[in-house]
Amino acid sequence: MVPEKDKESQADLSPRLVSEIRELVATARQQVVQAVNSTMVQTYWQIGRLIVEDEQQGDSRAAYGKQQLQRLSSELTREFGKGFDVTNLRNMRRFYEAFPIRDALRLELSWTHYRILLRIDNLQAREWYMAEAASQHWSSRALERQISTLYYERLLSSQDRTAVEQEAEARTRPLAQQAARHYLRDPYILDFLDLPAERYLEADLERGLIDNLQAFLLELGKGFAFVARQQRLTTEDQDFYIDLVFYNFKLKCFLLVDLKLGKLTHQDVGQMDSYIRIYDQHYKEQDDNPTIGLILCSQKSEAVVKYSVLTDSAQMFAAKYHPYLPTEEELRRELERERDLVQQQIAQAKASGMELTHSPTGG
């Protein structure tokens, strides 16, 4: 006779039970996200309205923009945490000016959606993209993709609208699936809720390599000081993240490090140049030397390392920077060595069923 406990363990799990719970949890999560997004959009619209109304009472719009917004940003940041820097406050003002009728807002869309829509100068196109993003449930990445491929303009000029729509739907579907998995990684949601602004890395390999590269550069003894990890740079219309930021006291300059798991592309180099320009504009002091970029690409078979400087800094890089920087060959060897080590750690952790913890090994 089979014991009652063994009978229970042998019973099949009801697919209907799993399906119903899965649907319940997914719906609840979506409702939470929708509630946060809706509240955030309405709050930022109201903040934009208050700024514009207060601004209209001042003597000088330009003076207001430089002085009052900075003071307002400091006060709000002190009390509510991140999310109220001058750039975001300026976007709230632009948001109200672009969408002055509150009831016309589509609350299905997030603040990130609206920041993207603000870049569109054509009023008809902007309203069309807003309506389509809401009705088609586009993620913010999908909306950005549609705008960058001139979806609106192509539909207007195409004689085969169905083909254009089918192609767009096929390209945006994977982006919607990604958005559903990563909804709480939106930095604006984290800022609005005043949650820890950690940016989650996607792979144990990437996390381990950054841990070890950080230790390696600090242990060189050539003036490196750690500044930030996964530092977020915010521009008027986009956010960027830099894997590692150092300051070198001997060179009197910042070093920006970006890690890529894959092949080095022209886009990677151009992106680093953008990081350098942003850093030179917003972080570099007058007596600092120009910022240096360092791109590390770890491929399956090899590692590629490239220093990046702006054209007008090339002579200084060649003459002054080299004695204090590890060579590209040294970094390449270190990257390959650390990749092998981290891959072994990951394999051992998976084999033993343990969670991988990273301990920087240095050089």
Side-chain angles (χ1 to χ4, degrees):
M1 183 174 181
V2 180
E4 195 67 29
K5 185 176 181 181
D6 289 344
K7 285 183 178 179
E8 182 178 342
S9 65
Q10 293 172 6
D12 292 334
L13 184 63
S14 167
R16 182 180 61 82
L17 174 64
V18 175
S19 176
E20 289 182 354
I21 293 177
R22 181 187 295 118
E23 183 177 351
L24 184 66
V25 172
T27 300
R29 286 182 171 180
Q30 185 57 43
Q31 289 173 345
V32 170
V33 175
Q34 183 58 50
V36 172
N37 278 327
S38 174
T39 302
M40 188 191 314
V41 166
Q42 293 182 79
T43 301
Y44 286 173
W45 185 90
Q46 292 283 14
I47 293 174
R49 178 184 62 81
L50 291 172
I51 291 174
V52 170
E53 291 178 355
D54 187 62
E55 205 173 43
Q56 290 171 347
Q57 299 173 13
D59 297 329
S60 171
R61 183 185 181 93
Y64 185 104
K66 287 184 178 181
Q67 299 174 13
Q68 297 299 90
L69 281 184
Q70 186 61 59
R71 293 174 189 169
L72 181 60
S73 172
S74 299
E75 287 291 331
L76 294 175
T77 300
R78 187 180 302 112
E79 185 167 354
F80 299 111
K82 295 182 179 180
F84 297 96
D85 56 60
V86 173
T87 298
N88 211 25
L89 289 176
R90 193 175 291 120
N91 281 329
M92 294 175 203
R93 181 176 63 189
R94 292 175 58 213
F95 179 41
Y96 171 75
E97 292 172 336
F99 301 95
I101 303 174
R102 181 183 174 186
D103 292 342
L105 294 176
R106 300 298 297 262
L107 298 181
E108 307 97 309
L109 303 182
S110 68
W111 176 236
T112 304
H113 282 97
Y114 280 108
R115 289 177 71 249
I116 295 170
L117 290 169
L118 288 176
R119 301 182 217 161
I120 304 174
D121 295 326
N122 184 321
L123 179 60
Q124 289 182 324
R126 183 197 297 157
E127 292 180 347
W128 184 87
Y129 278 117
M130 178 176 68
E132 284 294 298
S135 63
Q136 300 298 323
H137 307 291
W138 289 344
S139 67
S140 57
R141 287 188 60 196
L143 171 61
E144 193 156 30
R145 187 261 174 197
Q146 302 293 58
I147 294 171
S148 66
T149 58
L150 302 177
Y151 183 44
Y152 172 73
E153 291 79 3
R154 288 189 294 121
L155 276 178
L156 286 181
S157 61
S158 176
Q159 295 181 354
D160 188 359
R161 291 173 61 95
T162 301
V164 176
E165 291 170 343
Q166 289 176 346
E167 183 266 346
E169 198 278 333
R171 295 295 180 89
T172 56
R173 192 186 309 118
L175 300 179
Q177 295 168 352
Q178 293 171 15
R181 291 195 299 269
H182 304 312
Y183 59 91
L184 276 182
R185 298 183 186 183
D186 186 332
Y188 289 98
I189 290 182
L190 297 176
D191 288 350
F192 183 73
L193 299 176
D194 198 21
L195 296 175
E198 176 183 2
R199 183 169 186 263
Y200 302 97
L201 298 175
E202 296 298 327
D204 285 334
L205 175 61
E206 183 178 5
R207 196 160 48 235
L209 286 175
I210 292 178
D211 283 343
N212 292 321
L213 287 165
Q214 179 178 331
F216 172 71
L217 288 172
L218 289 175
E219 291 176 5
L220 286 176
K222 294 185 178 182
F224 286 101
F226 176 73
V227 174
R229 179 164 169 159
Q230 288 296 311
Q231 185 177 35
R232 176 172 148 200
L233 298 183
T234 300
T235 64
E236 291 289 341
D237 57 7
Q238 202 168 359
D239 292 311
F240 303 97
Y241 294 88
I242 305 177
D243 288 326
L244 291 170
V245 179
F246 297 89
Y247 186 84
N248 191 290
F249 288 96
K250 295 182 179 180
L251 293 172
K252 288 188 68 63
C253 72
F254 287 100
L255 173 68
L256 314 181
V257 181
D258 204 24
L259 174 67
K260 303 289 183 182
L261 296 180
K263 187 177 180 180
L264 180 67
T265 67
H266 293 297
Q267 288 82 359
D268 295 329
V269 178
Q271 186 177 58
M272 178 57 76
D273 287 346
S274 297
Y275 293 168
I276 293 172
R277 288 189 174 89
I278 294 171
Y279 232 83
D280 279 349
Q281 181 179 354
H282 295 287
Y283 295 89
K284 185 175 77 68
E285 299 292 341
Q286 289 186 350
D287 58 344
D288 284 337
N289 284 318
T291 301
I292 311 168
L294 175 59
I295 308 172
L296 304 166
C297 289
S298 182
Q299 304 179 63
K300 291 183 179 180
S301 58
E302 63 175 337
V304 178
V305 177
K306 177 178 176 58
Y307 281 108
S308 180
V309 293
L310 300 183
T311 303
D312 53 1
S313 305
Q315 187 172 356
M316 178 181 291
F317 180 83
K320 296 182 179 181
Y321 286 0
H322 279 171
Y324 298 99
L325 297 173
T327 66
E328 293 182 357
E329 178 60 26
E330 288 173 331
L331 286 165
R332 186 187 64 78
R333 288 199 304 267
E334 180 66 18
L335 189 58
E336 290 181 341
R337 186 182 75 84
E338 292 297 350
R339 181 183 179 108
D340 290 342
L341 177 62
V342 173
Q343 285 180 323
Q344 291 174 16
Q345 292 174 341
I346 294 173
Q348 291 170 0
K350 287 182 177 179
S352 60
M354 298 174 61
E355 183 178 354
L356 179 65
T357 57
H358 299 288
S359 176
T361 61

